[in-house]
């Protein structure tokens, strides 16, 4: 059986998101918006596109790796992926409680995290990725049915926006927050972001590139976000935690631009090898960047960085994390392997 060539464009797309997310986290921990006000604008921009972008890319790769195969052949691989992301949440969440909150290393600290009763800061999105792959597994058959019916699939993605009117105020148990959202703490509810997962599947299934209809639809969605933003007397962004429909719509045009840019960058492979490497190993870069940032903040609490200093700091962190991949001896991949199943 012929080996399917890896889609480098989606790796570049994910690499761009990793680059932005690590820069955002660096600014959040080591910059001060009162001193560097431009940094807050970068943080808001990156926050708008990042989680939605990862959900889209996850749907894209899952379509390639799972949904074009029989359920019996892939369910165990999907569970393995979910378990990996759950472990990532445990590692990042524990690091946050130890380094940032400076809690003691004891069972009382770790147990709530293991039971998903504690969602430490800057780690909640990793729990959401776990829920996302489990939801994709449970809905395996209906999702395949939707994607095989192109316009029904796009319609379903639009109807899923109605989930942003879930009564968030009635949800208080932390374990449900990554699925449905809550007003008690920051969370990334996968039900509300699921339109991007379905759109990722559709883009992969139908090899969508530049399309005027997609451009118009994404421009309309982002335009609604901008209208809502500017119509607010206080000019504050639409609600992010929990997400309003405007926040979910907001990144559509930007992400489509990222997607088209990554397809263009794919044609010139050499300059973008680092981005591809990050895109192939998203979970590793997200977990390790969090751990290193938390540890550095604990060790250097007074360290202050502007936009450029934060960029150099990020590049240093990414270089260290990339070095960790480079020095690992890897077993030969099987000839039947066709695509990465990581985030």
């Amino acid at each position: 059986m012929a080996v399917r060539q890896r889609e480098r464009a989606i790796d570049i797309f994910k690499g761009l998101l990793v680059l932005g997310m690590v820069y955002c986290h660096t600014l959040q921990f080591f910059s001060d918006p009162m001193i560097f006000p431009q940094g807050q604008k970068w943080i808001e921009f990156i926050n708008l596109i990042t989680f939605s972008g990862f959900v889209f890319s996850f749907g894209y790769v899952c379509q390639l790796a799972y949904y074009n195969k029989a359920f019996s052949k892939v369910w165990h691989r999907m569970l393995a992926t979910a378990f990996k992301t759950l472990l990532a949440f445990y590692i990042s969440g524990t690091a946050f409680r130890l380094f940032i909150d400076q809690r003691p290393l004891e069972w009382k600290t770790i147990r709530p995290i293991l039971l998903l009763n504690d969602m430490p800061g800057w780690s909640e999105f990793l729990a959401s990725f776990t829920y996302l792959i489990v939801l994709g597994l449970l809905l395996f058959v209906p999702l395949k049915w939707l994607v095989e019916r192109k316009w029904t699939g796009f319609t379903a993605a639009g109807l899923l926006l109605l989930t942003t009117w879930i009564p968030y105020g009635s949800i208080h148990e932390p374990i449900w927050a990554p699925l449905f959202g809550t007003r008690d703490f920051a969370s990334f509810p996968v039900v509300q972001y699921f339109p991007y997962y379905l759109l990722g599947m559709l883009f992969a299934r139908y090899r969508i590139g530049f399309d005027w209809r997609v451009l118009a639809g994404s421009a309309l969605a982002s335009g609604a976000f901008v209208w809502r933003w500017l119509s607010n007397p206080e000019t504050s962004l639409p609600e992010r935690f929990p997400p309003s429909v405007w926040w979910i719509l907001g990144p559509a045009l930007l992400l489509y631009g990222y997607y088209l840019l990554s397809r263009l960058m794919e044609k010139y492979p050499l300059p973008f090898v680092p981005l591809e490497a990050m895109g192939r190993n998203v979970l590793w870069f997200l977990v390790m960047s969090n751990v290193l940032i938390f540890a550095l903040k604990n060790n250097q609490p007074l360290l202050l960085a502007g936009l450029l200093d934060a960029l150099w700091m990020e590049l240093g962190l990414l270089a260290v994390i990339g070095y960790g991949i480079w020095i690992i001896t890897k077993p030969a991949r099987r000839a039947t392997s066709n695509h990465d199943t990581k985030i």
Side-chain angles (χ1 to χ4, degrees), residues 306-327:
L307 292 179
L308 185 58
D309 289 336
L311 177 61
W312 284 115
M313 187 183 301
E314 177 202 17
L315 294 178
L317 292 171
L318 293 176
V320 171
I321 299 166
Y323 176 73
I325 296 175
W326 184 45
I327 62 176

Side-chain angles (χ1 to χ4, degrees), residues 196-304:
Y196 285 103
Y197 186 86
L198 186 52
L199 288 173
M201 293 178 63
L202 289 163
F203 270 62
R205 170 65 178 82
Y206 296 102
R207 324 308 301 160
I208 295 175
F210 179 79
D211 188 309
W212 282 107
R213 294 166 297 181
V214 177
L215 179 63
S218 60
L220 184 63
S222 292
F225 166 84
V226 173
W227 170 81
R228 179 67 175 184
W229 179 15
L230 297 180
S231 65
N232 189 323
E234 299 177 357
T235 64
S236 59
L237 289 172
E239 188 176 21
R240 180 189 181 203
F241 297 125
S244 64
V245 65
W246 314 105
W247 183 266
I248 299 297
L249 289 171
L253 183 60
L254 296 168
L255 290 177
Y256 189 45
Y258 262 48
Y259 176 78
L260 294 177
L261 177 62
S262 66
R263 292 171 68 92
L264 176 63
M265 295 166 73
E266 182 185 27
K267 299 178 181 179
Y268 308 95
L270 190 58
F272 308 113
V273 169
L275 283 176
E276 283 188 65
M278 289 189 288
R280 288 195 304 268
N281 300 278
V282 168
L283 202 57
W284 171 255
F285 275 90
L286 295 184
V287 172
M288 291 309 300
S289 63
N290 269 5
V291 172
L292 291 176
I293 287 172
F294 299 160
L296 185 59
K297 183 64 177 180
N298 176 271
N299 183 259
Q300 302 287 328
L302 300 181
L303 182 61
L304 188 64

